[in-house]
Amino acid sequence: MKLLVTGGAGFIGSAVVRHAIAAGHEVINLDALTYAACLENLASVEASPLYRFEKADIRDRDALARIFETHRPTAVMHLAAESHVDRSIDAPDAFIDTNVTGTAHLLQEARAYWERQGRPEEFRFHHVSTDEVFGSLGAEGLFTEETPYAPNSPYSASKAASDHLVRAWHATYGLPVVLSNCSNNYGPFHFPEKLIPVVILNALAGRPIPVYGDGGNVRDWLFVEDHAEALLTIIGQGEVGRSYNVGGNAEAKNIDLVRMICRILDRLLPGAAPHEDLITFVTDRPGHDRRYAIDASRLRDELGWQPRVTLEEGLEQTVAWYLENRPWWQALQDRAGVGDRLGLG
Ligand SMILES: NC(=O)c1ccc[n+]([C@@H]2O[C@H](COP(=O)([O-])OP(=O)(O)OC[C@H]3O[C@@H](n4cnc5c(N)ncnc54)[C@H](O)[C@@H]3O)[C@@H](O)[C@H]2O)c1
């Protein structure tokens, strides 16, 4: 495939680009390089003849039209987004602009290009979304692809809106789309404002480890490399017009996840143990969803994908990666807002 990957300088997008190139696909990485981007995530592939980079904003239709014409991709993987829930509470406009309007512009330019090409059946527009569009679960149950949408944050509402646009561009114009909704990712190159890197980096610095509310919020964690494999499976084999839930079968309460990380750090850095003493409960996020959990059986049964990395193994690898890659995260900690408490409403 010749893939146009949007958001390829971000956390998940860069994993997708690395995996796609390893699998022999050509990749054009289209990214606006916002505060969340880091081209160093792509150091291992930037010299590959299969890789190209286009600095562009998905809100810029002229740039999108030029990129489609210049590179003539056979598929689009759309990951570019504003992605941090806390930032969406303080400043929702950027989320509407990029996640909703930007996705609409990308759909329009993808459609125009696809029509100019004679509407090839094998073209794909893969929209990468989140399980947060489904809202919050009680103690029981799982999100399936049939779960009604009920987003609660500006971030998840903007992603829900973008999912609906993609669905409509298929139903109305016949654009060959696939969609996926994934649970929380973690792993190497995770931007240092998200929960798992915050825990690791605060623990390393001997600073309080903030846990929102009572720490009882449950997330289903997926190692980012497994997500990248799932996305390549879906774009390669997924049925047009269908959506696929992606999850790790690894539910954990935030407080239990934080304790797991502390125990790994205790083993690797016994001099600073016990890291658990740094745990500090802080004011909860407004509208904080209580529980997310994914039923990924469609993806397993129809396309044969399953997560390979357990939560224990993935956390171990992630903590080790942060210990070995200090210059990477130290540079990002200087960016605006990183390390500040955001999203108090
Ligand atoms: N992180 C998760 O746990 C998770 C889970 C499920 C789904 N997702 C979805 O996966 C996608 C990627 O998430 P992530 O965590 O890698 O995000 P990220 O914030 O790490 O990366 C987003 C990338 O998009 C780029 N970008 C932002 N606005 C842009 C614009 N207007 N034009 C072009 N590029 C722009 C940024 O520069 C950045 O490189 C998002 O669509 C997100 O909603 C994330």
Side-chain angles (χ1 to χ4, degrees), residues 44 53 82 91 137 142 154 176 189 194 231 252 272 316 330 335 342:
S44 63
F53 176 64
E82 290 290 339
L137 288 165
L142 301 170
F189 302 106
K194 303 280 173 80
L231 295 176
E316 188 93 30
Q330 277 173 337
R335 294 194 183 172
L342 304 172

Side-chain angles (χ1 to χ4, degrees), residues 130-196:
T130 167
D131 62 351
E132 302 193 25
V133 299
F134 299 122
S136 187
L137 288 165
E140 301 290 319
L142 301 170
F143 295 135
T144 72
E145 290 82 358
E146 314 307 326
T147 302
Y149 276 37
N152 289 316
S153 72
Y155 164 67
S156 55
S158 69
K159 290 297 292 187
S162 66
D163 291 12
H164 293 320
L165 292 172
V166 174
R167 185 189 142 80
W169 258 244
H170 173 61
T172 302
Y173 305 111
L175 188 70
V177 309
V178 284
L179 296 96
S180 55
N181 293 84
C182 187
S183 60
N184 283 48
N185 283 217
Y186 69 98
F189 302 106
H190 206 182
F191 196 76
E193 65 184 354
K194 303 280 173 80
L195 175 65
I196 288 180

Side-chain angles (χ1 to χ4, degrees), residues 7 9-13 30-34 36-37 56-59 79-83 98 128-130 155 159 182-185 194 227:
F11 167 49
I12 301 171
L30 185 167
D31 198 297
L33 301 183
T34 70
D57 195 306
I58 57 167
R59 294 167 295 183
L79 294 100
E82 290 290 339
S83 71
T98 281
V128 177
S129 191
T130 167
Y155 164 67
K159 290 297 292 187
C182 187
S183 60
N184 283 48
N185 283 217
K194 303 280 173 80
H227 189 195

Side-chain angles (χ1 to χ4, degrees), residues 76-78 124-128 177-180 230-231 234-235:
V76 177
M77 294 179 89
H78 177 35
R124 288 291 176 278
F125 185 104
H126 181 175
H127 180 60
V128 177
V177 309
V178 284
L179 296 96
S180 55
L231 295 176
I234 293 165
I235 199 167

